Amino acid sequence: MTSEGAIVGVGLDIGATKTLGLVVGSDGEIRAEVREPTEPGAEGIVRTAARVVDLLRATSDDALVGPVGVGIPGLVDVEQGAVKHAVNLGVDGEWLPLRRLLSERLGVPVVVENDVNAATLGAAALSGANDLVYLSIGTGLAAGLVLEGRLRRGAQGAAGEIGHVPVDPAGALCTCGQRGCLETVASGSALAAAWPSAGEPAAQALFAAARAGDDHAIEVRTRFAAGVAAAVRVLGLSVDVQTVVLGGGVAQLGEPLLDAVAEALRAQAVDSPFLASLDLAGRLSVVPADYPVAAVGAAMLGRPEMLDR
């Protein structure tokens, strides 16, 4: 437990299948946790989020009367606290005024942020770095940026959309409409297409087969790691951060993923003394398995004074 009177934040990570709610102390300790299945659609999202906060209030030793931070997929208007294009949640073309609806339901202020940006804040708090890229390798590929201690969203909220950087004009068609984007080779969906599996996540199945010596699995793993390394290289060369943290669903692999991407970065630097001098491989880390960075970061959004601690 944190000391009496310590700041606590409430954070929600709203995903397509579940909503995770946390109470987080100013020292980063998770003090209470609730998971509930996410109901799709505008009303379902608000109802689920409110239910999670109510359960946190019922189970927490702290008086949870302060703001609630929310991380959610999709395009987020932070100033308006609204979200759209969260297709997997049943929210598409129309803006959902999530901040207003949830605040009215809970009776407290609400802060809404894109889930990757929220996770970036959580990763920065975990690492202690104030100059960091969080590379989320999930169904898609996206990055969050904390530069000199400040979250960078970009003029149109597109900062860190590394997955939609084209790298192969003859490559596969991307969901964004371009061809050969990094997301088509270095994401969970790309990996699942390259290594279909039944009964377990494709990433785990692929890396297990590669460890067992399957030549085709080794080839697919090498190609995937090279794609992730290319994303790291683009980020490293464009913003030159101290730390690159691998996260997202594929990062549940942990050290094997870290080792594969680091090896790919070193291989890409063999013929370039310039790249070798940057030691991008040495800047890599990975989120600990099952550490809820997005919900932790959302809790920090709710209590911004925690960001300086």
Side-chain angles (χ1 to χ4, degrees):
M1 297 291 288
T2 54
S3 61
E4 185 177 353
I7 296 168
V8 294
V10 176
L12 304 182
D13 176 19
I14 299 177
T17 59
K18 73 176 188 307
T19 294
L20 171 64
L22 299 180
V23 177
V24 181
S26 55
D27 60 356
E29 180 187 6
I30 296 172
R31 302 178 64 169
E33 179 175 337
V34 169
R35 296 173 189 264
E36 286 284 301
T38 302
E39 299 179 44
E43 293 183 3
I45 291 169
V46 174
R47 190 163 48 241
T48 304
R51 183 167 64 250
V52 168
V53 174
D54 287 342
L55 289 169
L56 286 171
R57 286 171 169 170
T59 58
S60 176
D61 294 332
D62 300 290
L64 306 182
V65 295
V68 171
V70 176
I72 188 168
L75 180 62
V76 174
D77 183 327
V78 176
E79 291 188 4
Q80 298 298 320
V83 61
K84 69 176 179 178
H85 296 313
V87 179
N88 290 337
L89 289 167
V91 175
D92 195 4
E94 298 295 325
W95 284 102
L96 170 64
L98 181 58
R99 182 179 66 191
R100 176 177 63 79
L101 294 173
L102 191 54
S103 180
E104 289 174 353
R105 169 64 177 78
L106 297 173
V108 297
V110 171
V111 181
V112 181
E113 179 59 89
N114 171 267
D115 59 342
V116 174
N117 283 343
T120 302
L121 292 175
L126 179 66
S127 69
N130 68 350
D131 205 52
L132 170 144
V133 164
Y134 172 79
L135 183 60
S136 178
I137 315 166
T139 302
L141 182 71
L145 310 173
V146 169
L147 305 178
E148 297 181 348
R150 300 186 64 180
L151 183 66
R152 172 65 180 174
R153 298 184 179 93
Q156 299 292 328
E161 287 290 353
I162 187 72
H164 299 302
V165 172
V167 292
D168 181 5
L173 185 66
C174 182
T175 56
C176 75
Q178 300 183 99
R179 188 170 291 279
C181 293
L182 276 170
E183 187 169 293
T184 66
V185 295
S187 64
S189 56
L191 195 152
W195 193 264
S197 62
E200 65 177 318
Q204 278 79 358
L206 170 65
F207 274 65
R211 283 195 302 273
D214 184 306
D215 289 339
H216 181 50
I218 292 171
E219 178 184 346
V220 172
R221 182 187 64 184
T222 300
R223 187 165 59 246
F224 174 75
V228 177
V232 172
R233 190 172 71 247
V234 170
L235 289 163
L237 291 172
S238 57
V239 290
D240 194 24
V241 291
Q242 295 172 330
T243 303
V244 177
V245 180
L246 305 180
V250 175
Q252 293 292 308
L253 286 165
E255 292 298 322
L257 175 66
L258 182 67
D259 292 343
V261 176
E263 181 179 349
L265 283 166
R266 286 190 288 267
Q268 291 168 0
V270 164
D271 296 323
S272 172
F274 169 64
L275 276 180
S277 72
L278 298 178
D279 188 25
L280 293 174
R283 305 188 200 187
L284 286 181
S285 65
V286 64
V287 173
D290 300 321
Y291 184 79
V293 285
V296 170
M300 298 173 68
L301 286 166
R303 298 300 296 263
E305 59 266 47
M306 292 172 60
L307 296 176
D308 298 326
R309 292 177 175 244

